[in-house]
């Protein structure tokens, strides 16, 4: 596989600072070895500290908890209505049919950004101006990677960046040059695999997942050595034939091509050394007759040991799913006082329309309440399984195949004990049929009829103790945009019409909005503070837009956290 | 009845535009009109294409594929597009056998075209006058008429006679996106009726009954209501007799030929 790295010579280069000049000087393509001994880069301890240093953002959700909740308060309820664009970065790329789904990482004043079609950039976080651009030379016969040409971000450790690709590789880069240091194959893209998620760096491991559940594939979570790219462990989301869980498939053939992709970044509890990861739909998506049974561990959350990749527990949200309701969500961790006892929980707002709270030590189900108006099921039984009322849409509307929400990140504000999620209210029915297998073609096995006239979207605040909907703010159509919150009590959300908005988390009052001009799809905001100025960054269309208060608005040049 | 002559020059232009870029005779679909192939193609389409192009082909994240033939394409071009994918876009190439692709093309063509109007009955000349008196205030035909309602220049090529009768007799039964009625009440109490061209959580873009394009911030409106009723009045039998309806349909039917001759 040939690689192509493009150095972008910024117009006005001579006017850039000496720091930027020095970075350019290091951008010699021959410099493929991390060379600056004075800056060891990002340590695992730095990532563990998460939001303790809000002048950095070192992992997809900002920290391992998956909360996407920043401590920054310079932008607050009183001044957020004066938020204004600070800069815009135009990627010049295409992401037809999908979104610019990335969360940039920030280290030492530089944003590291991945884009669709496996572009990537290092940008000046103060101005949005690029240091380097990378584009992978992708093969012409991509499968799922052609359908969803997206990427959700880098992982980072030392001076290395990690990115997965549409032809299902994992790459390591030198963050200072954009040069590729190693390149390993995750899976065979020609049978339907691709990789789109942001790698999750834990202690001395780069953890990644795989896409391709619309094809006859078998999902897995992998951990790689950040230094060498060697595989440390692999966890298959569909067990080996004969292993526990395999009895939920009718035969080995159905199981081994039963999907269960792992294409959304999980969260991690370093004390328990447990990774929490969502798994995707069983394959074929809509045709269940060839895979009778629960189809473990598809449409589930799995808790996997970081050191070994061994399964500790699982919970299946949608047994024997026939709606393409992947459970590839960001699992959100919290500590809740339940019946006088502090419980370590993990929370998921699922594509099937239910909000779940589970004990993250053992997977015990603590709460499951619908957060959408679906008629698929209205309660989860004592056995932890949904009491299904209407599985094909013939008894009223079901959520469409994009679900009651999707992979776009939710957020959790621990001070308010509120979980915020962009919910999708849609109206679909499902007609399955037996698919025919053609190598490299999707085997969805059915038709979804959707009444687009009745859909809408809504930002919803869910009380995590009761599952009750505290407030909502409606959009005219179902959105695929994510959500971020801050300690100022603000919630930042996007919508399908391209509005980027700020809300009072306690009341749901809309405090500010900015029409970005293109839909916000699959991305949530991130935020950081530099030179005493807080920035909020959101991908929209194929641009990255940073917002900040006018310079005269913030009080102290040194503070404002 | 006024009809654009089907001039040889125009017809030649159509053939040239529609022909594939490479030389040689156009390849025809071996399954054209074959009911079994169309059924098979429907399933293949649902499996491989519907996720992006919509279960009904009207588009989802990918474009509407039911207007391709109306826009002048041909079976071979659609076949090649499915085979090779679209460069620079997300549509992938297909590795499926030729027979499957031709079956999909047969299905797409089947859902993309409507049978010609029954020519029996109806005086198109009289229909033109009925159109001018009752419809042209809001609907355009070949450049003439109003802009509030849909342009009807190609309507007979994309809607069956039965569907058109339904839209004339009971226009509120199905209203296309872009023509749905909204009533706004401005802060000063002014009442505005129009059709919605765009809307987000904070604003609405409207063409009002005076054909004025105007955007409104919802926060500045006293209220706004999405109406179930179309702005188009019902043309029941008292307003439009069966014979007049036939005449009007005969006139609309002529537009199919006029429109295709213009391509």
């Amino acid at each position: 596989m040939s690689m192509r790295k493009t150095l972008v010579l910024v117009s006005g280069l001579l006017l850039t600072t000496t720091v930027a000049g020095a970075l350019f000087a290091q951008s010699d393509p021959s410099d493929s070895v991390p060379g600056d001994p004075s800056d060891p880069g990002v340590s695992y301890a730095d990532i563990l500290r998460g939001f303790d240093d809000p002048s950095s953002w070192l992992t997809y959700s900002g920290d391992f908890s998956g909360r996407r909740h920043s401590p920054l308060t310079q932008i607050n309820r009183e001044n957020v209505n004066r938020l204004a664009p600070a800069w815009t970065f135009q990627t010049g790329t295409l992401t037809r049919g999908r979104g610019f789904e990335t969360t940039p990482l920030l280290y030492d004043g530089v944003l590291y950004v991945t884009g669709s079609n496996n572009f990537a950039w290092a940008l000046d976080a103060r101005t949005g101006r690029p240091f380097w651009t990378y584009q992978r030379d992708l093969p012409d016969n991509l499968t799922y990677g052609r359908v969803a040409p997206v990427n959700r971000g880098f992982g980072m450790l030392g001076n290395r960046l990690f990115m997965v690709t549409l032809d299902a590789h994992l790459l390591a880069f030198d963050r200072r040059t954009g040069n590729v240091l190693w390149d390993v194959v995750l899976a065979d893209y020609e049978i339907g695999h691709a990789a789109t998620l942001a790698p999750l760096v834990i202690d001395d491991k780069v953890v990644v997942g795989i896409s391709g559940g619309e094809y006859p594939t078998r999902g897995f979570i992998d951990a790689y050595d950040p230094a060498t790219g060697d595989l440390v462990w692999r966890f298959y989301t569909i067990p080996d034939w004969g292993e526990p869980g395999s009895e939920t498939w009718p035969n080995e053939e159905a199981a081994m091509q039963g999907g269960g992709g792992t294409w959304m970044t999980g969260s991690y509890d370093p004390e328990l050394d447990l990774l929490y990861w969502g798994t995707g739909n069983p394959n074929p998506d809509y045709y269940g007759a060839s895979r009778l049974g629960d189809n473990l561990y598809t449409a589930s959350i799995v808790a996997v040991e970081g050191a070994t990749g061994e399964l500790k527990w699982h919970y299946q949200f949608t047994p024997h799913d026939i709606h393409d309701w992947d459970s590839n969500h960001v699992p959100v961790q919290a500590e809740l006082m339940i019946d006088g006892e502090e419980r370590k929980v993990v929370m998921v707002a699922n594509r099937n329309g239910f909000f779940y709270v589970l004990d993250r030590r053992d997977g015990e189900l603590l709460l499951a309440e619908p957060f959408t108006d679906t008629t698929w099921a209205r309660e989860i039984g004592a056995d932890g399984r949904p009491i299904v009322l209407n599985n094909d849409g013939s008894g009223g509307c079901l959520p469409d195949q994009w679900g009651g929400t999707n992979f776009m990140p939710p957020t959790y504000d621990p001070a308010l004990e509120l979980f915020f999620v962009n919910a999708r209210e849609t109206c679909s029915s499902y007609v399955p049929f037996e698919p025919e297998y053609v190598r490299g073609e999707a085997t969805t096995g059915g038709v979804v009829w959707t009444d687009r006239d009745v859909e809408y979207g809504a930002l919803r605040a869910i009380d995590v103790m009761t599952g009750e909907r505290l407030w909502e703010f409606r959009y005219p159509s179902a959105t695929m945009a994510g959500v971020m919150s801050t300690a100022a009590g603000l919630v930042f959300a996007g919508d399908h019409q391209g509005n980027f908005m700020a809300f009072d988390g306690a009341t749901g009052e809309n405090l500010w909005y900015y029409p970005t001009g293109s839909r916000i799809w699959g991305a949530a905001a991130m935020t950081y503070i530099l030179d005493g100025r807080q920035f909020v960054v959101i991908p929209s269309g194929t641009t990255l837009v940073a917002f900040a208060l006018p310079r005269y608005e913030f009080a102290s040049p040194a503070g404002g956290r | 009845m006024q009809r654009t002559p089907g001039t040889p020059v125009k017809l030649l232009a159509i053939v040239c535009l529609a022909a594939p870029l490479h030389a040689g005779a156009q390849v025809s679909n071996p399954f054209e009109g074959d009911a079994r192939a169309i059924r098979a193609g429907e399933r293949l389409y649902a499996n491989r294409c519907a996720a992006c192009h919509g279960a009904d082909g009207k588009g989802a994240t990918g474009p509407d594929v039911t207007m391709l033939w109306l826009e002048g394409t041909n079976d071979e071009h659609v076949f090649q597009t499915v085979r090779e994918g679209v460069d620079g876009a997300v549509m992938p190439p297909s590795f499926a056998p030729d027979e499957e692709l031709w079956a999909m093309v047969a299905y797409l063509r089947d859902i993309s075209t409507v049978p010609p109007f029954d020519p029996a009955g109806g005086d198109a000349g009289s229909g033109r006058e009925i159109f001018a008196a009752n419809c042209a205030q809001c609907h355009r035909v070949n450049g003439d008429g109003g802009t509030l309602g849909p342009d009807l220049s190609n309507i007979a090529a994309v809607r069956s006679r039965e569907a058109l009768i339904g839209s004339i007799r009971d226009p509120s039964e199905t209203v296309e996106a872009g023509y749905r009625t909204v009533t706004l009440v401005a802060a000063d109490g002014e009442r505005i009726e129009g059709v919605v061209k765009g809307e987000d959580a904070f604003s609405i873009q409207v063409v009002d009954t005076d054909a004025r394009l105007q955007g409104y911030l919802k926060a500045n409106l006293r209220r706004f209501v999405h109406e179930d009723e179309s702005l188009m009045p019902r043309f029941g039998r008292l307003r439009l007799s069966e014979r007049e309806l036939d005449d009007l349909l005969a006139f609309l039917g002529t537009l199919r030929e006029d429109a295709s001759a213009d391509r």
Side-chain angles (χ1 to χ4, degrees):
Chain A
M1 184 59 54
S2 67
M3 300 294 152
R4 182 153 58 91
K5 185 176 77 65
T6 311
L7 292 176
V8 174
L9 292 173
V10 183
S11 61
L13 171 62
L14 295 174
L15 298 177
T16 57
T17 67
T18 49
V19 174
L23 279 160
F24 256 95
Q26 290 175 8
S27 298
D28 181 340
S30 65
D31 176 19
S32 60
V33 179
D36 182 358
S38 65
D39 181 2
V42 174
S43 69
Y44 175 61
D46 293 334
I47 305 173
L48 263 181
R49 278 194 289 275
F51 285 115
D52 286 357
D53 175 10
S55 68
S56 66
W57 186 292
L58 301 177
T59 190
Y60 177 75
S61 295
D63 69 6
F64 283 138
S65 74
R67 292 177 188 171
R68 202 171 280 260
H69 179 74
S70 166
L72 291 172
T73 57
Q74 182 181 88
I75 300 165
N76 56 46
R77 277 174 287 204
E78 284 67 45
N79 61 22
V80 68
N81 63 348
R82 295 189 287 279
L83 207 55
W87 52 259
T88 300
F89 175 65
Q90 305 273 359
T91 64
T93 60
L94 285 172
T95 185
R96 190 171 171 191
R98 289 290 293 251
F100 184 12
E101 303 181 4
T102 196
T103 294
L105 299 187
L106 174 72
Y107 176 70
D108 192 23
V110 179
L111 287 168
Y112 297 96
V113 186
T114 68
S116 292
N117 303 296
N118 292 147
F119 274 82
W121 304 269
L123 306 179
D124 178 349
R126 295 170 175 87
T127 63
R129 298 187 61 76
F131 295 109
W132 52 255
T133 295
Y134 167 84
Q135 184 190 4
R136 183 168 178 78
D137 190 4
L138 290 162
D140 293 333
N141 60 339
L142 290 175
T143 49
Y144 186 69
R146 190 84 187 269
V147 179
V150 299
N151 191 281
R152 305 199 183 86
F154 280 120
M156 191 172 196
L157 187 68
N159 284 316
R160 294 184 171 189
L161 300 165
F162 306 97
M163 181 181 90
V164 295
T165 70
L166 299 173
D167 54 343
H169 286 228
L170 170 63
L171 312 182
F173 296 86
D174 183 334
R175 71 171 175 87
R176 296 163 299 195
T177 63
N179 287 343
V180 174
L181 302 175
W182 50 255
D183 175 343
V184 296
V185 176
L186 302 175
D188 179 3
Y189 74 85
E190 292 190 49
I191 65 167
H193 284 298
T196 57
L197 84 180
L200 184 69
V201 175
I202 62 172
D203 193 8
D204 217 24
K205 291 177 194 66
V206 182
V207 182
V208 297
I210 196 77
S211 309
E214 276 62 54
Y215 300 75
T217 58
R218 183 188 184 198
F220 56 82
I221 304 169
D222 275 358
Y224 291 89
D225 183 327
T228 63
D230 292 339
L231 181 67
V232 181
W233 53 253
R234 167 168 292 189
F235 168 76
Y236 277 109
T237 58
I238 297 170
D240 285 338
W241 193 245
E243 293 295 314
S246 66
E247 73 283 356
T248 64
W249 296 85
N251 55 62
E252 185 172 8
E253 186 188 8
M256 293 305 111
Q257 53 188 20
T262 49
W263 48 267
M264 191 59 201
T265 309
S267 67
Y268 178 60
D269 183 331
E271 285 181 22
L272 299 173
D273 187 31
L274 284 181
L275 289 158
Y276 304 98
W277 217 275
T279 67
N281 62 280
N283 173 267
D285 299 54
Y286 312 121
Y287 183 74
S290 63
R291 51 174 175 80
L292 296 176
D294 280 356
N295 307 140
L296 290 174
Y297 300 102
T298 64
S300 301
I301 182 172
V302 291
V304 171
E305 285 187 349
T308 63
E310 285 181 20
L311 180 69
K312 185 78 181 294
W313 58 260
H314 80 278
Y315 177 78
Q316 189 174 43
F317 301 103
T318 312
H320 189 72
D321 173 53
I322 52 169
H323 315 96
D324 192 16
W325 290 341
D326 302 72
S327 291
N328 302 91
H329 311 280
V330 180
V332 179
Q333 299 172 34
E335 279 66 48
L336 300 181
M337 287 300 290
I338 298 174
D339 297 332
E341 184 189 351
E342 186 182 86
R343 302 290 288 261
K344 291 174 180 291
V345 305
V346 61
M347 304 179 287
V348 172
N350 196 273
R351 211 145 142 172
N352 69 14
F354 276 80
F355 171 73
Y356 297 86
V357 180
L358 300 129
D359 187 313
R360 72 174 184 268
R361 292 168 304 184
D362 56 14
E364 180 190 352
L365 181 65
L366 302 174
L367 178 82
E369 292 291 336
F371 69 96
T372 65
D373 298 333
T374 178
T375 59
W376 172 67
R378 297 305 296 168
E379 59 181 312
I380 306 298
D383 59 358
R385 300 171 67 88
I387 299 171
V388 176
L389 305 170
N390 168 24
N391 216 19
D392 62 2
S394 57
C397 294
L398 294 185
D400 68 7
Q401 70 269 43
W402 298 93
T405 184
N406 207 292
F407 68 92
M408 58 282 203
T411 186
Y412 173 65
D413 185 330
L416 298 172
E417 290 194 338
L418 290 177
F419 185 98
F420 303 99
V421 61
N422 262 335
R424 306 175 75 259
E425 294 287 1
T426 54
C427 179
S428 290
S429 58
Y430 293 75
V431 181
F433 58 74
E434 186 174 5
E436 292 164 28
Y437 173 62
V438 175
R439 184 179 162 85
E441 299 273 356
T443 46
T444 48
V447 180
V448 185
W449 295 101
T450 301
D451 183 352
R452 290 288 168 210
D453 286 349
V454 299
E455 75 167 45
Y456 68 94
L459 174 63
R460 288 181 175 155
I462 300 171
D463 181 333
V464 299
M465 300 301 291
T466 63
E468 191 183 344
R469 196 186 301 172
L470 199 70
W471 56 257
E472 72 169 14
F473 180 89
R474 286 198 183 193
Y475 321 119
S477 67
T479 178
M480 292 289 291
V483 195
M484 178 191 75
S485 61
T486 71
L490 294 177
V491 178
F492 289 90
D495 73 14
H496 209 62
Q497 285 71 42
N499 286 305
F500 183 51
M501 300 159 284
F503 297 88
D504 183 330
T507 66
E509 182 188 356
N510 174 250
L511 301 173
W512 170 85
Y513 71 96
Y514 179 84
T516 65
S518 189
R519 65 191 190 180
I520 298 167
W521 209 106
M526 55 88 71
T527 185
Y528 54 88
I529 194 158
L530 281 179
D531 309 327
R533 191 182 194 198
Q534 184 184 354
F535 292 83
V536 178
V537 174
I538 186 74
S540 159
T542 55
T543 69
L544 199 61
V545 191
F547 296 89
L549 295 171
R551 290 184 185 280
Y552 60 81
E553 287 277 348
F554 48 94
S556 154
R561 287 182 187 179
Chain B
M1 182 172 67
Q2 198 175 10
R3 180 178 287 185
T4 306
T7 60
V9 175
K10 281 183 176 173
L11 287 175
L12 183 62
I14 303 161
V15 173
C16 291
L17 283 172
L21 292 176
H22 56 80
Q26 184 183 311
V27 179
S28 61
N29 186 347
F31 300 135
E32 184 182 343
D34 181 310
R36 281 186 310 174
I38 290 169
R39 276 200 301 279
E42 180 177 10
R43 287 170 53 120
L44 293 164
Y45 171 87
N47 204 7
R48 298 176 195 159
C49 320
C52 293
H53 294 290
D56 56 3
K58 292 287 188 186
T61 54
D64 185 333
V65 288
T66 65
M67 304 295 279
L68 299 174
W69 277 266
L70 184 68
E71 290 163 355
T73 193
N74 59 46
D75 290 16
E76 185 190 20
H77 185 71
V78 176
F79 177 94
Q80 289 299 345
T81 304
V82 178
R83 170 63 75 216
E84 295 166 9
V86 178
D87 226 18
V90 299
M91 176 147 165
S94 171
F95 311 113
D98 281 2
E99 292 75 14
E100 293 189 3
L101 297 201
W102 283 123
M104 276 197 282
V105 172
Y107 166 67
L108 282 176
R109 185 162 178 176
D110 186 60
I111 63 168
S112 300
T113 49
V114 294
F117 278 15
D118 182 357
D123 176 344
S126 163
R128 173 179 289 278
E129 289 169 15
I130 294 167
F131 184 89
N134 295 280
C135 316
Q137 188 185 345
C138 296
H139 292 286
R140 287 172 90 73
V141 162
N142 296 335
D144 294 327
T147 55
L148 187 61
D151 188 316
L152 300 182
S153 302
N154 292 327
I155 196 66
V158 295
R159 291 283 185 281
S160 67
R161 180 185 172 94
E162 291 69 31
L164 273 181
I165 291 171
S167 293
I168 294 167
R169 291 290 192 213
D170 185 7
S172 299
E173 180 67 24
T174 308
V175 185
E176 290 283 314
Y179 299 99
R180 291 177 185 156
T181 310
V182 68
T183 303
L184 312 176
V185 181
D188 61 5
E190 184 193 4
R191 188 184 165 90
I192 300 147
E193 265 197 329
V195 296
V196 181
K197 295 298 177 182
E199 182 181 359
D200 70 4
F202 305 101
S203 71
I204 190 162
Q205 290 71 44
V206 171
V207 176
D208 70 20
T209 47
D210 294 329
R212 181 185 182 213
L213 284 65
Q214 196 71 196
Y216 301 88
L217 289 174
K218 290 178 179 177
N220 293 342
L221 295 172
R222 195 177 290 175
R223 66 189 179 93
F224 71 96
V225 179
H226 289 279
E227 311 283 1
D228 292 333
E229 292 289 304
S230 169
L231 274 180
M232 177 169 157
R234 287 169 200 272
F235 284 85
R237 286 180 179 76
L238 293 177
R239 196 165 190 169
L240 190 73
S241 70
E242 288 295 320
R243 181 176 169 176
E244 288 169 324
L245 178 64
D246 280 347
D247 291 349
L248 180 58
L249 289 168
F251 166 65
L252 294 174
T254 65
L255 299 174
R256 181 187 180 103
E257 297 159 44
D258 291 352
S260 59
D262 278 345
R263 274 172 200 285

